[in-house]
Amino acid sequence: MSRPPVPREVHVRAPGKINLALAVGRATRDGYHPLATVFQAVSLIEEVTATAAERFSLTVDGLHADRVPTDDSNLALRAARRLAEHVGIDDGVHLHVRKGVPVAGGMAGGSADAAAALLACDTLWRTGLAREELSELAATLGADVPFALLGHTAVGRGRGDLLTPALSRGEYHWTLALQDHGLSTPEVFRTFDDVVGGVGDPVPDRALLQALGSGDPDAVGAALSNDLQPAALELAPHLAETLAVAEDAGALGVVVSGSGPTVAALARSRQHAVAIAAAITAAGVADGVLTASGPVPGARVVVGERAGVPHVGDRG
């Protein structure tokens, strides 16, 4: 039986994430903070096309594309090079990234790019790595990259890269308030150290996990939490008004996502998410608003479609 032809290009989609809960511990001697977080992958999607090439290169379009580096500092390009080194091949690749996740918004768009690039290049080069090995490689690139491979809902421990899938029933609808100026994750953590300090060994939020397991959106909204939120508000005080407008619009819960500055509001339904988006827009407390739903799968190869066609992300 003849083998199928080697693909000339591969298309992969990977999701952004929201931290439904983020507990942060006291910084250790190496400067890292132990985390206990609950991730949910949402329908804002990064699309990566990997095309066979002699050299490594990258282009970008889509949401906030002008803010994304295309040199060797780009995480997707680093992921491709890391895989090539890991398996010992000399092939190059051209990566084209179409962004659907806000840049520097605490939603791990760059990590999604890296996860998509790993899977796309693994498929393109036929290196045949198991998902477990890809996940181990992903963890060397960044703490959020393994979750972008896994998707759905999961508990993250350690630096956020030690994952355990979490039971989550039902579909959740989100309004995401964006800011043009991102927050530096290292600066947010430094401010956290100054303002809050953290505990020794953070644990996952049991009430949130129970609410997700029972599919109770009201209880999920009540349990949303983020230890980094006070630090984000210290650096960007105007986010307090964004949180307040979403609450006044009837959100079941509102939280700064990850290190911010994106504000995530949980809605009762898709229509309610659009209504919250309209309220935020009318109040002028965000530079952009998107709606999304979750949980969604992690990085996956798209067969029979080209990257760049409309995806399942909702736009408010």
Side-chain angles (χ1 to χ4, degrees):
M1 181 180 295
S2 62
R3 296 183 64 186
V6 176
R8 290 292 301 170
E9 62 180 26
V10 176
H11 311 295
V12 172
R13 293 176 181 169
K17 59 81 179 171
I18 296 172
N19 294 86
L20 307 186
L22 177 57
V24 182
R26 190 179 300 112
T28 57
R29 289 185 177 181
D30 62 4
Y32 286 94
H33 296 73
L35 306 177
T37 186
V38 179
F39 294 113
Q40 184 172 99
V42 296
S43 60
L44 298 182
I45 303 297
E46 299 286 283
E47 300 177 336
V48 173
T49 300
T51 305
E54 294 182 359
R55 300 172 182 169
F56 289 88
S57 61
L58 180 139
T59 52
V60 186
D61 67 8
L63 181 67
H64 301 161
D66 58 325
R67 305 182 199 174
V68 179
T70 57
D71 59 15
D72 286 343
S73 67
N74 185 281
L75 199 56
L77 207 51
R78 288 168 51 197
R81 290 186 183 276
R82 187 70 52 86
L83 178 61
E85 293 167 1
H86 181 73
V87 299
I89 66 171
D90 297 324
D91 298 39
V93 68
H94 174 73
L95 301 176
H96 180 73
V97 177
R98 172 152 292 183
K99 296 200 61 64
V101 178
V103 172
M107 296 187 68
S111 295
D113 293 340
L118 283 175
L119 182 56
C121 290
D122 176 67
T123 304
L124 182 72
W125 296 333
R126 291 188 169 180
T127 51
L129 298 188
R131 274 288 176 130
E132 293 77 10
E133 191 171 357
L134 275 180
S135 185
E136 291 174 4
L137 200 58
T140 69
L141 293 160
D144 290 334
V145 183
F147 178 70
L149 278 174
L150 177 66
H152 300 288
T153 305
V155 175
R157 301 294 301 271
R159 297 176 184 175
D161 58 323
L162 304 177
L163 299 175
T164 304
L167 176 64
S168 179
R169 302 182 188 278
E171 184 178 35
Y172 296 87
H173 300 281
W174 299 93
T175 303
L176 303 163
L178 314 180
Q179 305 294 330
D180 283 343
H181 298 288
L183 289 175
S184 161
T185 297
E187 188 175 3
V188 171
F189 273 99
R190 283 194 295 270
T191 305
F192 168 83
D193 291 335
D194 294 339
V195 174
V196 182
V199 297
D201 186 22
V203 296
D205 189 299
R206 185 171 299 178
L208 174 61
L209 292 174
Q210 290 175 341
L212 288 166
S214 62
D216 184 344
D218 290 278
V220 169
L224 297 177
S225 63
N226 182 359
D227 284 356
L228 293 181
Q229 185 163 306
L233 291 172
E234 182 78 13
L235 294 168
H238 59 281
L239 294 180
E241 191 173 0
T242 310
L243 293 163
V245 169
E247 289 170 354
D248 290 344
L252 301 178
V254 190
V255 69
V256 173
S257 179
S259 57
T262 299
V263 169
L266 180 60
R268 293 188 300 271
S269 64
R270 188 182 303 272
Q271 293 76 16
H272 186 213
V274 172
I276 295 172
I280 291 171
T281 300
V285 293
D287 296 313
V289 187
L290 301 175
T291 62
S293 59
V296 300
R300 62 200 188 279
V301 176
V302 180
V303 178
E305 299 177 66
R306 291 190 59 83
V309 299
H311 53 67
V312 293
D314 308 307
R315 296 299 172 103

